[in-house]
Amino acid sequence: MKTNQLQKNIFLIGFMGSGKTSVSLQLSDMTGLKKQEMDQILTQREKMTVAEIFERKGEPYFREQETVLLKQFGGGDPQIISCGGGVAMKEENVGIMRESGTVVCLTASADVIYERVKDSRERPILNGNMSVEYIQQLMEARRPFYEAAADVIVDTSHMRIDQVAEAVLSAVSQ
């Protein structure tokens, strides 16, 4: 797909481990659009990991920085934006994303998420709670927010990255 066919940003939201980073890379390769990784930008700005930001400045500070960053994505050329797992929990963020793009929620089963994230130490929400049961509880708590924010939902549980990217492009170009 040519970049000029996409007129808006694509915001990838969803639970950690749903595939946002991998799919954003694939979409960038397929479309030629610039890829933005929100957590990466924020950690570079703060010169700390997400876990360190949570520990030193608190989750509310981190969430406010996400909102500030989202506002910077509007108005320019379309981009692929991989959002942090909590971005869609804030109504203001959902409004910002909808103004300048299509919101795509990537989802997967709790078992699949666990397999994808179990060896990571960069998931402050899961530190000390790394289990399928806890992931399932947190996913259920977040599900209504993700579903309300999403223009499109793609289950990545049993798809390759390229298949997910194709499904996203097909959905956003209709």
Side-chain angles (χ1 to χ4, degrees), residues 146-163:
Y146 291 146
E147 289 177 355
D151 296 308
V152 176
I153 299 174
V154 179
D155 187 337
T156 69
S157 296
H158 305 291
M159 296 172 77
R160 295 185 321 265
I161 294 165
D162 62 311
Q163 293 172 318

Side-chain angles (χ1 to χ4, degrees), residues 6 38 103-104 113 120 127-128 137-138 147 153 155 157 165 174:
L6 290 175
M38 286 186 66
V103 181
V104 177
I113 297 287
S120 173
N127 289 349
Q137 289 174 359
L138 194 52
E147 289 177 355
I153 299 174
D155 187 337
S157 296
Q174 293 181 6

Side-chain angles (χ1 to χ4, degrees), residues 30 33 71 77 81 89 91 115 129 133 159-160 167:
M30 292 168 72
L33 296 178
K71 290 176 181 176
D77 290 334
I81 298 132
M89 304 301 102
E91 194 172 324
E115 286 302 316
N129 296 301
E133 295 77 19
M159 296 172 77
R160 295 185 321 265

Side-chain angles (χ1 to χ4, degrees), residues 10-29 33-41 50 80-85 104-107 113 116-117 120 122-123 156 161-162 164-165 168:
I10 297 175
F11 292 95
L12 298 176
I13 65 168
F15 199 77
M16 62 191 90
S18 61
K20 298 181 301 287
T21 297
S22 299
V23 172
S24 69
L25 285 166
Q26 182 73 32
L27 286 168
S28 178
D29 287 347
L33 296 178
K34 185 175 181 179
K35 176 197 81 71
Q36 300 282 5
E37 183 77 33
M38 286 186 66
D39 285 352
Q40 182 181 47
I41 293 168
V50 172
I80 310 296
I81 298 132
S82 174
C83 300
V104 177
C105 178
L106 301 182
T107 187
I113 297 287
R116 292 176 182 171
V117 303
S120 173
E122 292 299 316
R123 314 276 182 177
T156 69
I161 294 165
D162 62 311
V164 176
V168 169

Side-chain angles (χ1 to χ4, degrees), residues 89-101:
M89 304 301 102
K90 193 172 174 183
E91 194 172 324
E92 179 183 6
N93 291 348
V94 175
I96 293 166
M97 290 186 290
R98 285 217 167 125
E99 283 177 20
S100 69

Side-chain angles (χ1 to χ4, degrees), residues 46-62 124:
E46 297 288 328
K47 297 180 178 42
M48 290 183 254
T49 65
V50 172
E52 290 170 334
I53 297 168
F54 269 55
E55 183 181 315
R56 295 180 190 170
K57 296 188 174 187
E59 185 177 356
Y61 172 83
F62 182 80

